[in-house]
Amino acid sequence: MKNEIQSIIRNLEITLDGEPWFGRSVYGILREIKPSLAFKKPKKDAHSLADLLYHMLTWVEFTLKRVVKDKATDMATFEDLDWRDIDPSVHGWEEGLSAYIATH
């Protein structure tokens, strides 16, 4: 079990901020996004990059709560945050990215 956990940790580290076999790391790509572009939607009903970032942050936080067996935050809390309305004056790109990285 310890070897499996170490393997998962190593794979996450490589995928998020290392040199994955498939190309660029997640953080590397996200750090290149200009905040002025992060809130633009490619089509009317599509998600912006900021929408996607905060969506990913929600489920990373959910996973972390479950790993540490924190049952105080229920599933409904995370479902309410999933695909939340993103207001650039409240949900900044840099703040979201920092929270995403810190949560990992």
Side-chain angles (χ1 to χ4, degrees):
M1 181 66 134
K2 184 177 179 181
N3 287 341
E4 290 177 34
I5 292 170
Q6 290 302 317
S7 177
I8 291 168
I9 291 169
R10 190 171 41 257
N11 284 324
L12 278 171
E13 289 172 342
I14 290 168
T15 300
L16 293 170
D17 204 23
E19 295 182 22
W21 64 268
F22 53 81
R24 297 168 41 219
S25 70
V26 172
Y27 296 164
I29 293 168
L30 293 175
R31 286 181 181 122
E32 290 180 12
I33 295 170
K34 294 177 182 165
S36 61
L37 297 177
F39 299 93
K40 296 188 186 299
K41 295 185 180 206
K43 295 190 296 184
K44 181 182 175 192
D45 294 331
H47 292 291
S48 69
L49 294 170
D51 291 333
L52 294 169
L53 175 66
Y54 280 91
H55 169 76
M56 293 187 305
L57 176 60
T58 296
W59 295 108
V60 169
E61 290 172 340
F62 167 81
T63 303
L64 182 60
K65 293 287 187 183
R66 292 306 179 262
V67 167
V68 299
K69 299 185 192 276
D70 175 355
K71 298 191 180 175
T73 311
D74 65 355
M75 182 69 157
T77 300
F78 293 100
E79 289 173 338
D80 288 343
L81 292 172
D82 192 29
W83 302 119
R84 66 190 100 174
D85 290 329
I86 301 297
D87 177 350
S89 66
V90 175
H91 305 95
W93 177 257
E94 294 297 332
E95 294 81 6
L97 182 54
S98 293
Y100 183 72
I101 291 170
T103 303
H104 278 98

